[in-house]
Amino acid sequence: MRPFVYNALPARVVFGLGTIGQVADEVRRLGCRRALILSTPQQQGDAERLASQIGDLAAGVFAGAAMHTPVEVTQQAMDHLRNLGADCTIALGGGSTIGLGKAIALRSDVPQIAIPTTYAGSEATPILGETEQGRKTTQRSPRALPEVIVYDVDLTLTLPAGLTATSGMNAMAHAVEALYAQDANPVTSLLAEQAIAILAQALPRITKNPQDRAARSDALYGAWACGTCLGSVGMALHHKICHVLGGSFGLPHAETHTVMLPHAVAFNTASAPDAMARVTRALASTEAAQGLFDLAGELGAPRSLREIGMPENGLDEAADIAVMSPYWNPRPIERTPIRALLQDAYEGRRPDQALYPTTPTETVNV
Ligand code: NAD
């Protein structure tokens, strides 16, 4: 066993079917009396239903959550919080809505209940990404971590097949990178391998039948496990590239993760053999990168940057930004192979670790 440091984050998790019925108890348990319910415009109906369900405990609904947590939206939500005299928030939705809850908590310290309806995993992390005048910044603070997560499998039944596939692959990316993280440890590695395996089995079943409650339940559990990994250990090359493509080129979050993951894994395979053996085993595949690429194909998810809106003439700039202040990675991040990797991802080429041979100066770290 190699030496490790393990930091556990506080978490209260209520998981099941129909658990939305327990939200009122959770508000009271926090010692709160007036919750501001947050959602996107698309999920306003669900937010209004929750408001009538919890009755007097609902102070109101703010249905303006948007991708990448724009600070102007947070300001509007803060005004609602104050004007309504709310003493906690309930974020019902995906990573965008949960991001808004975190942004409010950072500014007001009101407790948060997160009710995730995608597999993005933000609810289990103390990380917040915000945008101001088009610039995205990320910060980590214990105040951003929701006090309670209520997972209600029923709320995920409406997640469209396309978003189910890409959101599930987004979740898997957290677990894959956790396995070769600099601060990997036995607890997150165990959780990560189990999460990849359960998602790899559940997602194809959901693609065939989006109403399959057992598969939805497995996927949501897997998403929580992946989010817990993301909240516990540092991420590497894959998350760095996705941050660049989302932040500087406006590519959609979950789709970008889906396209990039097999290529980042191919790049890192020679430098993280034990981690990749675990990914391969979890996927019941013969090779980690190709197993992920095949899974995305089976789910009908996008597999090229071209099809999700990346301009080919932006690849040089993306490579330049990706090698600037790079995240820690098991293999050094050098521009030439990263540029090649981006081209392969752009074209949707089948990933192959042989495309990115390591040089004698690159050591095997993990
Ligand atoms: P999202 O929250 O933007 O949701 C996408 C769309 O799907 C929205 O219109 C939403 O209303 C709708 N939707 C969500 N759940 C639904 C359901 N069950 N049924 C029908 N429609 C539903 O997408 P996302 O991928 O969950 O989140 C992406 C955002 O989260 C990004 O901004 C990303 O940076 C952030 N994120 C942050 C962290 C973190 O730890 N800070 C982790 C992951 C993602």
Side-chain angles (χ1 to χ4, degrees):
M1 177 63 62
R2 64 183 190 122
F4 65 89
V5 173
Y6 173 59
N7 273 307
L9 294 170
R12 174 176 168 82
V13 176
V14 177
F15 186 99
L17 287 96
T19 47
I20 194 119
Q22 297 174 39
V23 171
D25 286 344
E26 292 299 326
V27 174
R28 285 189 209 101
R29 200 178 161 276
L30 287 169
C32 297
R33 309 173 66 86
R34 289 177 64 74
L36 177 63
I37 302 173
L38 310 171
S39 75
T40 60
Q42 292 80 4
Q43 288 177 287
Q44 182 164 4
D46 290 332
E48 304 279 3
R49 260 188 298 285
L50 175 60
S52 41
Q53 206 170 328
I54 66 171
D56 290 348
L57 291 171
V61 170
F62 177 82
M67 193 84 148
H68 305 311
T69 333
V71 293
E72 313 82 71
V73 172
T74 303
Q75 278 317 328
Q76 291 168 23
M78 286 294 297
D79 291 344
H80 271 66
L81 186 88
R82 280 193 212 98
N83 295 341
L84 294 166
D87 57 7
C88 66
T89 60
I90 304 176
L92 188 157
S96 298
T97 305
I98 290 167
L100 176 60
K102 290 175 164 183
I104 294 173
L106 272 181
R107 288 163 175 79
S108 65
D109 219 9
V110 295
Q112 320 168 54
I113 298 177
I115 310 179
T117 61
T118 70
Y119 305 134
S122 175
E123 65 280 1
T125 84
I127 307 163
L128 170 65
E130 294 185 285
T131 42
E132 185 160 23
Q133 289 163 353
R135 221 181 121 247
K136 186 161 180 171
T137 53
T138 302
Q139 56 183 308
R140 192 178 258 270
S141 162
R143 283 169 64 182
L145 185 72
E147 276 70 7
V148 183
I149 312 172
V150 177
Y151 286 106
D152 187 338
V153 176
D154 288 335
L155 295 175
T156 63
L157 296 174
T158 51
L159 192 65
L163 193 51
T164 296
T166 54
S167 192
M169 295 297 291
N170 179 194
M172 252 190 216
H174 310 325
V176 168
E177 291 229 292
L179 283 169
Y180 54 68
Q182 188 175 24
D183 47 358
N185 62 73
V187 177
T188 50
S189 295
L190 204 62
L191 207 54
E193 187 175 338
Q194 195 195 38
I196 297 166
I198 205 162
L199 279 164
Q201 288 163 23
L203 295 173
R205 283 156 58 208
I206 299 173
T207 305
K208 288 192 195 85
N209 175 14
Q211 300 302 311
D212 182 335
R213 280 188 155 77
R216 287 284 190 188
S217 188
D218 285 354
L220 195 58
Y221 163 72
W224 169 48
C226 292
T228 302
C229 293
L230 174 69
S232 305
V233 298
M235 295 287 116
L237 173 71
H238 167 76
H239 279 75
K240 172 72 188 187
I241 294 183
C242 290
H243 199 163
V244 171
L245 296 175
S248 302
F249 297 91
L251 296 196
H253 181 82
E255 288 87 337
T256 307
H257 275 272
T258 305
V259 171
M260 286 312 308
L261 184 62
H263 299 279
V265 164
F267 179 87
N268 279 335
T269 292
S271 300
D274 293 347
M276 297 314 179
R278 294 180 83 147
V279 175
T280 305
R281 187 167 62 201
L283 293 170
S285 174
T286 51
E287 209 266 340
Q290 298 194 352
L292 290 164
F293 187 77
D294 292 340
L295 177 62
E298 186 183 351
L299 301 177
R303 293 197 290 185
S304 71
L305 291 179
R306 187 193 338 240
E307 66 193 289
I308 62 168
M310 180 69 189
E312 189 169 13
N313 63 10
L315 295 175
D316 277 326
E317 190 191 340
D320 290 342
I321 309 174
V323 297
M324 254 185 255
S325 59
Y327 296 5
W328 181 89
N329 191 58
R331 175 177 172 183
I333 298 177
E334 288 166 354
R335 194 186 181 285
T336 305
I338 294 301
R339 177 64 182 82
L341 176 154
L342 284 166
Q343 189 70 39
D344 292 339
Y346 176 80
E347 288 168 14
R349 187 172 295 160
R350 189 170 180 73
D352 185 346
Q353 56 171 308
L355 295 171
Y356 319 110
T358 47
T359 63
T361 55
E362 293 182 47
T363 50
V364 172
N365 291 314
V366 179

